[in-house]
Amino acid sequence: MLSTLIWLPMLGAAIVGFWPGNLNAARLRSVALAIASVLLVVTVWLASQFNLTASGLQFQEYLPWLPQIGLSYKLGIDGLSFPLLALNALLTWIAIYSTSEKVERSRLYYALIFLVNAGVAGAFAAQNLLLFFLFYELELIPLYLLIAIWGDTEKRGYAAMKFLIYTAVSGILILAAFLGITWLSGSNSFDYDSMKTQGLPLITQLILLTVLLVGFGIKVPLVPLHTWLPDAYVEACPPVTILLGGVLAKLGTYGLIRFGLQLFPETWGLVAPGLAIIGTVSVLYGAVTAIAQQDIKRMVAYSSIGHMGYIIVGSAAGTPLSLVGAVSQMVAHGIILAILFNLVGIIEEKVGTRELNVLNGLMSPVRGLPIISAFLVVAGMASAGIPGMMGFVAEFLVFQGSFSIFPVETLLCVLASGLTAVYFVILINRTCFGKLDNNTAYYPKVQWRERVPALVLTVLIFFLGIRPSLLVRWSEATAASMSAPIFAAMPSSTDISGDIKPKLSISYQPSTFSIEK
C-alpha cells in the first residue's frame, strides 16, 4: 500500500499529461481530483491498519534494485512518517480542489502536482538513504516549474531560480553526508537499518551531523538559511504555496529527526543546545518580521518561519513529549498554513490586492466577504495557539516537553507565541474590520465551491483541537523509542574524547511521559 501512495500519483501524472484527445481544464481538474481522492482513501485505510503501540516500521516493502551500489527499494513507515504521509495526501487534495477550473496549461500543471506528491510520499516512506535522496530530489524540478510558470507576478522566475539553487545545495549536502555515513561506517548498503554510526569517532559524527543539519536546515528553512522562502511563497500561486509550506518544508524537519537525531544519538546532545538557540531565533525572527509586513501573503510566509522554529526546539530537546509535540506541530502547521494561504488567495482574487493599507471592512455582511473573513479569524486564532484548536495542542506539547531541557529557549518561544497573536490581530483588524470604500467595494461573490477547502480545514482544526489524542497518539510509541538512545548516550560533561555516561533516565507509558534528572 505504500507503493500505491507513490506510484498512483505518478500514474496520475501520466494520465492527465498524456490522455488522448482534447480535455478542457475543468475536466482535467475533475480527473485529478478523483485521483487525489483515491490517495486519501488509501491513506485512511493505512490509518485503520496502523498499530499504535508499535514503535518500529510497519507496512514494510523490500525489493533489490542496484545492490552493486547499495540501492534498494525499501519502504516502511512509523509514528514519525505516517502523520506526514497523511498530511501530504490531504493537502494535495486541497491544492487541486482550490485550483481554478480555468488554469492555463492544465495538463502540465496537474502532472507536476502529482509528481510533487509522489516525491514527498516516497521520501517519507523510504528506508534506504539513496532512495530517500532520489525522492527528495524528485520534487525539485516540478516545483521550480510550478513557481516559474504559474507564479503571481513578473518576479516568479527569480523566485523559482532562487528556490532551485537553495534546494540543489541542500541536496548536495545531504548526499555528501549520506555517502560519508555509509563509507566511514564500512557498510555495503545504504539501507537505513544497516547504518552504524555509533562506532565512529565523535568528531567524525559531529562533522557528518553538522552537514546534515545545514542541508535539511535549508529545506526547513532555518534562519539564516531562509531567504528563499518569502520570495517562493509570495510568488507562487496559492495552491502551490499550500504544497510548499504545508508539505515540502516538513521534509526538512523530518530529515533532521530521522537522519540527524536517530542516526547520531551520541552527538545529538552536543549540537542540541545550538540547534535550540537557532530554532528560538527563527521563532522570534519570524514573529517580529511578520509584524512589519504590509503584504498579507508575505506576513503569512514569515509566520511560517516562526512556527517551524517550534519544531526545531522540540526536536533539539529530544524528550518523548517534545518529539510528539514536534510531529504534532508539523501536522498542525501544515493544516493552518494551508487554510491561511487558501484564504489569502481568495481575498486577492476577489478584491484585487493583498496590501493591508488598502484592505478593510471585509467582514461587512452586505458588500464584503463575511464568511471568508470568519474563516480568517479562525485561522488566525489557530495559528496564535488559542485553546480548543490544534495549534494550541501542538505548541503546548513542545513547550512542556522542552522546558526541562532548554528552559530559557522555551520561555522565549512562549513569548514569541504572544507576538503571533499581535500580527494576526493586526491582519484581522485591518482586513476584516473598518469601513468599506463605497467606490470600490463591489466584490464578486464567493461561491460555496470556493469555501470547501477552508471549511474542511476548519473542521480539522477544531476536531483535532478538542480531541487531541487523535493527533498525538500516532507518534507516541515512536517518540519514546527515538528519545531513549539520546539520553542514554548524553554525557554528564561535554568532552568529545571522553566516555559517555547517562545523564537522564527516561520512562514511558502511552500518553504518559516522565523525565527524571
Side-chain angles (χ1 to χ4, degrees):
M1 297 307 293
L2 294 182
S3 290
T4 302
L5 293 179
I6 299 171
W7 296 105
L8 179 59
M10 289 189 179
L11 178 62
I15 290 174
V16 300
F18 301 104
W19 190 269
N22 294 323
L23 293 178
N24 58 33
R27 180 64 60 85
L28 282 171
R29 177 181 174 274
S30 299
V31 173
L33 198 59
I35 297 171
S37 299
V38 173
L39 290 174
L40 271 179
V41 171
V42 174
T43 304
V44 171
W45 183 88
L46 284 175
S48 68
Q49 303 297 315
F50 192 85
N51 185 357
L52 298 175
T53 62
S55 60
L57 295 175
Q58 304 181 44
F59 307 103
Q60 295 188 64
E61 300 177 24
Y62 178 78
L63 180 67
W65 191 354
L66 291 173
Q68 297 87 349
I69 62 172
L71 174 61
S72 64
Y73 182 77
K74 188 172 185 177
L75 305 178
I77 58 173
D78 57 9
L80 171 61
S81 51
F82 174 72
L84 301 178
L85 272 177
L87 180 68
N88 182 41
L90 171 65
L91 295 192
T92 299
W93 188 91
I94 293 291
I96 293 174
Y97 190 96
S98 58
T99 298
S100 171
E101 293 183 348
K102 300 178 181 179
V103 63
E104 297 180 354
R105 303 174 70 175
S106 54
R107 284 182 180 269
L108 178 61
Y109 175 84
Y110 291 117
L112 294 175
I113 290 286
F114 281 126
L115 287 178
V116 171
N117 175 274
V120 173
F124 286 144
Q127 296 301 318
N128 179 279
L129 272 60
L130 279 185
L131 186 65
F132 171 87
F133 175 76
L134 292 177
F135 284 122
Y136 185 85
E137 292 295 290
L138 175 62
E139 42 75 26
L140 177 58
I141 298 302
L143 276 171
Y144 166 79
L145 295 174
L146 286 168
I147 298 172
I149 298 176
W150 291 274
D152 286 340
T153 72
E154 65 278 359
K155 294 182 179 180
R156 59 184 181 271
Y158 165 78
M161 182 58 65
K162 195 172 184 179
F163 165 80
L164 180 67
I165 294 173
Y166 271 80
T167 307
V169 172
S170 169
I172 291 171
L173 292 173
I174 292 169
L175 178 60
F178 285 172
L179 293 175
I181 293 171
T182 305
W183 292 343
L184 293 175
S185 63
S187 176
N188 295 323
S189 170
F190 284 90
D191 287 348
Y192 183 85
D193 55 9
S194 67
M195 296 294 105
K196 306 296 182 184
T197 61
Q198 287 77 6
L200 298 176
L202 280 183
I203 188 63
T204 303
Q205 293 188 40
L206 187 60
I207 293 173
L208 293 171
L209 178 57
T210 302
V211 174
L212 282 176
L213 293 180
V214 176
F216 286 116
I218 294 174
K219 201 77 163 184
V220 172
L222 293 176
V223 175
L225 306 171
H226 69 286
T227 56
W228 66 268
L229 181 145
D231 294 322
Y233 283 23
V234 171
E235 296 303 321
C237 63
V240 175
T241 310
I242 288 173
L243 295 179
L244 275 171
V247 177
L248 187 74
K250 308 308 178 293
L251 282 175
T253 49
Y254 169 83
L256 287 177
I257 297 175
R258 175 71 76 202
F259 303 104
L261 184 149
Q262 278 198 283
L263 284 182
F264 296 93
E266 294 180 340
T267 324
W268 190 257
L270 299 177
V271 303
L275 192 60
I277 292 173
I278 294 174
T280 304
V281 170
S282 296
V283 171
L284 294 170
Y285 173 83
V288 172
T289 310
I291 293 174
Q293 302 305 311
Q294 293 299 313
D295 183 328
I296 58 175
K297 195 174 184 181
R298 190 172 289 271
M299 178 184 287
V300 175
Y302 276 106
S303 75
S304 174
I305 297 175
H307 284 83
M308 292 297 286
Y310 295 133
I311 303 172
I312 301 304
V313 174
S315 302
T319 67
L321 193 57
S322 71
L323 291 177
V324 171
V327 177
S328 301
Q329 177 66 9
M330 292 186 213
V331 178
H333 174 266
I335 291 176
I336 295 170
L337 199 68
I339 187 175
L340 284 169
F341 279 127
N342 174 257
L343 296 174
V344 169
I346 293 176
I347 291 173
E348 182 181 12
E349 179 185 355
K350 302 300 180 182
V351 182
T353 182
R354 301 192 305 253
E355 296 297 322
L356 283 177
N357 293 332
V358 179
L359 292 167
N360 53 37
L362 296 183
M363 190 67 81
S364 172
V366 179
R367 293 184 295 121
L369 308 175
I371 297 180
I372 296 302
S373 298
F375 282 136
L376 187 62
V377 171
V378 170
M381 294 169 63
S383 184
I386 301 300
M389 301 181 178
M390 66 185 306
F392 168 79
V393 174
E395 291 180 16
F396 183 78
L397 289 172
V398 170
F399 297 155
Q400 188 176 5
S402 303
F403 183 77
S404 61
I405 308 298
F406 301 117
V408 175
E409 291 86 347
T410 303
L411 290 175
L412 289 174
C413 288
V414 173
L415 173 64
S417 68
L419 295 177
T420 302
V422 171
Y423 60 76
F424 272 111
V425 166
I426 294 173
L427 185 152
I428 292 169
N429 183 53
R430 295 186 184 178
T431 301
C432 300
F433 301 100
K435 186 177 180 180
L436 282 171
D437 188 336
N438 291 328
N439 296 321
T440 61
Y442 294 93
Y443 307 135
K445 295 296 182 182
V446 180
Q447 304 299 320
W448 271 106
R449 182 193 68 80
E450 300 174 279
R451 300 169 183 166
V452 168
L455 179 62
V456 171
L457 296 172
T458 298
V459 170
L460 285 174
I461 287 171
F462 278 108
F463 184 69
L464 296 179
I466 296 172
R467 291 290 304 274
S469 62
L470 298 178
L471 175 63
V472 304
R473 63 178 184 171
W474 306 98
S475 55
E476 285 182 343
T478 301
S481 66
M482 287 191 299
S483 65
I486 301 172
F487 293 100
M490 188 173 291
S492 57
S493 61
T494 304
D495 181 5
I496 293 181
S497 61
D499 296 332
I500 303 298
K501 296 181 180 179
K503 181 180 180 180
L504 302 179
S505 62
I506 231 174
S507 60
Y508 165 78
Q509 294 178 349
S511 301
T512 305
F513 303 91
S514 65
I515 303 172
E516 300 176 355
K517 288 188 177 181

